Amino acid sequence: MDGTAGSGGAIEGDQRVARDGKQHEGASVADGPGGEQRVSDGAAGAAGGAGTVALDVSRVTKDALDDAVVRAVEGAVSSRECGAVVTFRGVVRDVDGGRDVTGLDYEAHPDATEVLRRCCAAVSAETGLCVAAVHRYGVLTIGDVALVASVASGHRAEAFAACSLLVERIKAEVPIWKRQHFTDGDSEWVGL
């Protein structure tokens, strides 16, 4: 087990963390408007109505980043006052630098989830917007999703800018390294 969320964006144990950065142990999880998950603990919510706060779904995981994970990430940032939700999916492509790629191996430092959450918190603080991201590690094949990053705001321009900032920050700071495998049998590490 990698100490992160299980498939479909479920939260393991009582490690529920709200946008306010506090753990809400013993809080109950319920679906909010639009299907997003909310933690109800009696506190006023950052993005939801009274008594709800969004789950912090941001993490690094070995689990496949499927549509359920994308919905969980979008749900964590969405609210009724946000007219724009921008989501980026980083997908493993079959070519890099003119060379044919067969697949990737991602290695993650044990603190990668913590660093990714710090990146999300920093971008949120800088922009004033709700952000979340999930990065996958392990063996990925062509077409697999390696990164999901989502930002919600009142308007699209600020959501696009913040999502781009979030992705660049994650790529620059989160300790995840990529080994590309090429069709000629060669491989190379990227991001070391």
Side-chain angles (χ1 to χ4, degrees):
M1 180 178 346
D2 61 14
T4 61
S7 63
I11 303 298
E12 287 184 355
D14 259 334
Q15 296 183 2
R16 298 182 181 115
V17 181
R19 270 195 210 118
D20 60 7
K22 298 176 186 168
Q23 285 195 316
H24 295 267
E25 295 181 24
S28 62
V29 178
D31 289 335
E36 69 269 21
Q37 289 184 319
R38 301 285 179 187
V39 178
S40 177
D41 67 351
T52 62
V53 290
L55 284 175
D56 184 353
V57 299
S58 299
R59 67 194 184 281
V60 175
T61 181
K62 277 191 167 186
D63 296 332
L65 303 185
D66 58 15
D67 288 339
V69 172
V70 174
R71 283 191 304 273
V73 172
E74 290 176 342
V77 301
S78 298
S79 66
R80 292 180 182 202
E81 57 272 1
C82 291
V85 177
V86 172
T87 301
F88 169 82
R89 292 186 198 196
V91 180
V92 178
R93 62 186 181 271
D94 67 357
V95 66
D96 187 45
R99 298 178 72 187
D100 293 334
V101 175
T102 61
L104 304 175
D105 299 330
Y106 279 100
E107 296 287 330
H109 187 276
D111 294 335
T113 290
E114 179 183 330
V115 176
L116 183 130
R117 286 181 173 170
R118 281 197 310 254
C119 288
C120 289
V123 170
S124 181
E126 291 171 28
T127 63
L129 302 177
C130 296
V131 308
V134 177
H135 201 302
R136 185 175 172 193
Y137 71 98
V139 177
L140 282 74
T141 60
I142 304 305
D144 284 346
V145 177
L147 172 64
V148 176
S150 192
V151 177
S153 70
H155 303 282
R156 68 182 178 274
E158 61 189 1
F160 277 109
C163 194
S164 181
L165 176 63
L166 177 61
V167 171
E168 293 305 319
R169 186 78 48 90
I170 289 168
K171 288 179 62 90
E173 296 181 18
V174 178
I176 296 176
W177 307 276
K178 174 173 68 174
R179 182 178 185 186
Q180 299 187 114
H181 299 281
F182 299 102
T183 55
D184 63 7
D186 199 12
S187 67
E188 71 178 3
W189 285 95
V190 179
L192 294 177

